């Protein structure tokens, strides 16, 4: 099955700086890569996703890049704000289709005011 | 719209007891999922369903059973609870199988 590795496990940045979270996956058939944000005590929520026919996708301060050759994808958050503090999970679909994803182990992001 | 709801929110069981967690969604979604979340381990898929009457195993199915008799409900059963099943359980649903909408979670402790 699919195996997703996520780094770093914790990340502290100053408010206004950028944050980058990286993930690698094992199954070259994966074609869907979502990112979820989970605030403390809350449920995970999708913040951005990318499909394998796209190399980069942006939504305001958030961007995701995908390198299918190297089998890695990254989340970039610019101009970080305290409300960006949360745990972020990447995921990859594997060969079973995009209806079932495998999650990474999460990155706890702390934005220091 | 209530979205995805889970019952109960908290539960404490003794080893060997059984229980059922209920997930309900009012968005007419075809796909439903059960995950467990443990510190440092992310979200691991237990079982999932691609439509009413169907179920399939995920990464960590041992010790759990599921049923999807109605499209809007997805039940997760523990027949004989073990301390290793202490976790936070999340249900999720999806319309097309991509974006997943999560419930609020159930915190289960097995003593």
């Amino acid at each position: 099955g699919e195996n997703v590795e996520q780094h770093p496990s914790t990340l502290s940045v100053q408010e206004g700086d950028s944050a980058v979270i990286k993930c690698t996956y094992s199954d070259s058939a994966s074609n869907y890569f979502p990112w979820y944000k989970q605030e403390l005590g809350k449920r995970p929520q999708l913040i951005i996703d990318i499909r394998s026919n796209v190399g980069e996708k942006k939504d305001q301060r958030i961007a995701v890049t995908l390198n299918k050759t190297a089998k890695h994808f990254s989340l970039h958050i610019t101009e970080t704000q305290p409300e960006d503090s949360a745990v972020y999970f990447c995921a990859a679909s594997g060969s079973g289709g995009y209806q079932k994803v495998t999650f990474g182990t999460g990155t706890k992001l702390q934005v220091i005011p | 719209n209530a979205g995805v709801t889970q019952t109960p929110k908290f539960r404490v069981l003794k080893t060997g007891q059984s229980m059922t967690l209920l997930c309900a969604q009012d968005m007419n979604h075809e796909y439903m999922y059960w995950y467990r979340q443990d510190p440092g381990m992310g979200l691991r898929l237990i079982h999932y369903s691609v439509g009413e009457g169907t179920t399939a195993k995920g990464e960590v199915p041992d010790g759990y059973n599921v049923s999807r008799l109605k499209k809007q409900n997805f039940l997760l059963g523990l027949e004989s609870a073990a301390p290793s099943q202490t976790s936070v359980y999340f249900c999720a649903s999806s319309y097309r199988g991509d974006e997943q909408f999560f419930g609020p979670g159930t915190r289960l402790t097995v003593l």
Side-chain angles (χ1 to χ4, degrees):
Chain A
E2 176 65 278
N3 182 48
V4 177
E5 294 190 357
Q6 183 172 347
H7 300 280
S9 57
T10 61
L11 179 60
S12 290
V13 299
Q14 292 289 330
E15 182 177 357
D17 288 349
S18 295
V20 181
I21 302 170
K22 298 182 179 182
C23 291
T24 60
Y25 61 98
S26 61
D27 192 337
S28 57
S30 284
N31 57 8
Y32 176 62
F33 307 89
W35 286 86
Y36 286 81
K37 175 184 180 182
Q38 185 178 28
E39 296 176 358
L40 187 63
K42 301 287 183 64
R43 68 191 79 186
Q45 290 188 296
L46 181 75
I47 54 171
I48 195 168
D49 57 12
I50 191 168
R51 299 182 192 275
S52 59
N53 58 344
V54 175
E56 183 176 3
K57 183 177 179 181
K58 288 184 179 180
D59 183 3
Q60 299 183 350
R61 296 186 297 108
I62 293 173
V64 58
T65 58
L66 171 64
N67 183 327
K68 286 220 75 180
T69 303
K71 289 191 282 189
H72 67 72
F73 56 115
S74 301
L75 178 71
H76 304 254
I77 306 173
T78 59
E79 301 173 16
T80 54
Q81 301 169 4
E83 52 264 38
D84 294 329
S85 295
V87 178
Y88 292 81
F89 293 98
C90 63
S93 60
S95 58
Y98 58 80
Q99 63 266 31
K100 182 169 72 74
V101 295
T102 298
F103 284 86
T105 51
T107 296
K108 184 176 182 180
L109 173 64
Q110 181 184 20
V111 179
I112 304 166
Chain B
N1 280 353
V4 181
T5 59
Q6 292 183 230
T7 309
K9 289 184 171 55
F10 304 93
R11 186 73 186 266
V12 178
L13 289 178
K14 293 181 179 178
T15 298
Q17 287 185 319
S18 64
M19 77 164 295
T20 300
L21 282 69
L22 170 64
C23 177
Q25 52 94 4
D26 61 1
M27 299 176 282
N28 201 34
H29 285 175
E30 289 292 337
Y31 302 90
M32 296 188 75
Y33 311 83
W34 275 108
Y35 294 93
R36 60 177 290 172
Q37 184 174 36
D38 303 292
M41 311 247 341
L43 293 153
R44 291 185 292 167
L45 183 64
I46 304 171
H47 287 280
Y48 66 105
S49 168
V50 300
E52 181 179 317
T54 74
T55 63
K57 293 180 180 180
E59 296 174 63
V60 289
D62 294 344
Y64 305 95
N65 56 74
V66 288
S67 64
R68 182 115 181 256
L69 299 179
K70 294 183 179 180
K71 186 177 183 179
Q72 63 268 34
N73 295 337
F74 196 28
L75 279 64
L76 178 71
L78 286 73
E79 291 185 350
S80 179
S84 60
Q85 294 178 304
T86 293
S87 187
V88 178
Y89 291 85
F90 283 99
C91 174
S93 72
S94 176
Y95 177 61
R96 300 183 306 176
D98 43 18
E99 180 177 5
Q100 295 186 21
F101 295 85
F102 284 81
T106 295
R107 186 173 295 274
L108 174 66
T109 301
V110 182
L111 302 175

